[in-house]
Amino acid sequence: MYTRQPVSKRRRLATVSASLAAACALGVVTAVPASAEVKSTCGTYICVATAYQGRDYVQDITVTTREGLPGTLRAFVGDYRGSKAGVSQYRFVVNREFRAYPKLAVCGGLDRSGRFIENHCVLIP
């Protein structure tokens, strides 16, 4: 048998539903466009992933340590250089076009305590 819920409970359910719908819509807006491709690869200590469009346009580079320990993460492609210290994962927003022939190398690196640990690259065909 159906029982009518109090007004406050209905209002709370409506608020939760609206919040979930807004969160889903925000996720769609901030997601990588459908035309973008993602390519990733892992080395010994880090994984590098990049979202790109075509062969020349790099949207972002994500560098992650495999063991989850922090360090200084670096990202580089063409003349773009970015770094972030004291993290185990970081997304570098690039949004630039680079000319490279025959392939474009999108790279990430890891330093710890001022020492070079590893550079690793993703090749975009």
Side-chain angles (χ1 to χ4, degrees), residues 23-96:
C24 290
L26 181 62
V28 170
V29 171
T30 60
V32 175
S35 62
E37 296 182 56
V38 176
K39 191 169 182 183
S40 64
T41 183
C42 292
T44 305
Y45 297 99
I46 61 172
C47 292
V48 180
T50 185
Y52 62 96
Q53 293 180 6
R55 196 187 67 162
D56 299 327
Y57 190 82
V58 176
Q59 288 182 289
D60 62 56
I61 306 167
T62 302
V63 183
T64 308
T65 61
R66 291 186 73 173
E67 72 279 336
L69 298 174
T72 299
L73 297 180
R74 294 177 284 107
F76 48 98
V77 57
D79 62 352
Y80 172 83
R81 302 278 185 268
S83 67
K84 184 70 174 179
V87 294
S88 61
Q89 177 178 358
Y90 195 76
R91 179 177 169 252
F92 300 89
V93 178
V94 180
N95 286 329
R96 288 184 47 199

